[in-house]
Amino acid sequence: MTEIILNDVHIKAENFKAEKAGNQKGEKELSKISFSFKVSSSEYHDITVLLYGLNFNVCVPEFDMEFPATILNYSTSITNLYKENEVGDFSLELIEITE
């Protein structure tokens, strides 16, 4: 498990992958991360509100990474976790944004 912090929300991530991606202007390479995580019915509302924000301050303490990012790809195994004791698998890919 890798801890990822998105706007002060701590997420226990699985399948964490970090890489560099070129940007459209051909300038510096941008940080890109992808990971999956479990979301329970009790966390569902807070996580979806967070993700609807689209842009995040990302911190991955284990890899000494910190950067502003936006969602590149997002998927979930379930779209309605309002039923008690349900758990969904979320996958998220974030890419660094520049001002």
Side-chain angles (χ1 to χ4, degrees), residues 60-73:
V60 188
E62 182 180 339
F63 295 98
D64 195 29
M65 298 177 78
E66 191 165 351
F67 57 93
T70 191
I71 295 175
L72 189 60
N73 284 305

Side-chain angles (χ1 to χ4, degrees), residues 51-98:
L51 296 178
Y52 285 140
L54 299 179
N55 294 330
F56 314 96
N57 292 316
V58 176
C59 181
V60 188
E62 182 180 339
F63 295 98
D64 195 29
M65 298 177 78
E66 191 165 351
F67 57 93
T70 191
I71 295 175
L72 189 60
N73 284 305
Y74 160 77
S75 65
T76 180
S77 65
I78 190 167
T79 58
N80 184 355
L81 282 172
Y82 287 111
K83 287 185 180 178
E84 193 172 338
N85 299 320
E86 292 283 323
V87 176
D89 295 311
F90 282 53
S91 293
L92 196 55
E93 189 174 15
L94 304 174
I95 190 161
E96 182 178 2
I97 52 176
T98 58

Side-chain angles (χ1 to χ4, degrees), residues 13-63:
E14 302 172 344
N15 307 310
F16 178 80
K17 181 180 174 185
E19 59 187 290
K20 293 289 185 177
N23 69 11
Q24 294 176 353
K25 298 178 184 175
E27 297 169 0
K28 79 170 198 147
E29 290 187 318
L30 304 174
S31 295
K32 184 168 92 170
I33 62 172
S34 59
F35 56 95
S36 57
F37 58 105
K38 303 283 187 194
V39 176
S40 68
S41 55
S42 63
E43 304 167 305
Y44 178 67
H45 176 77
D46 292 338
I47 292 295
T48 54
V49 167
L50 172 71
L51 296 178
Y52 285 140
L54 299 179
N55 294 330
F56 314 96
N57 292 316
V58 176
C59 181
V60 188
E62 182 180 339
F63 295 98

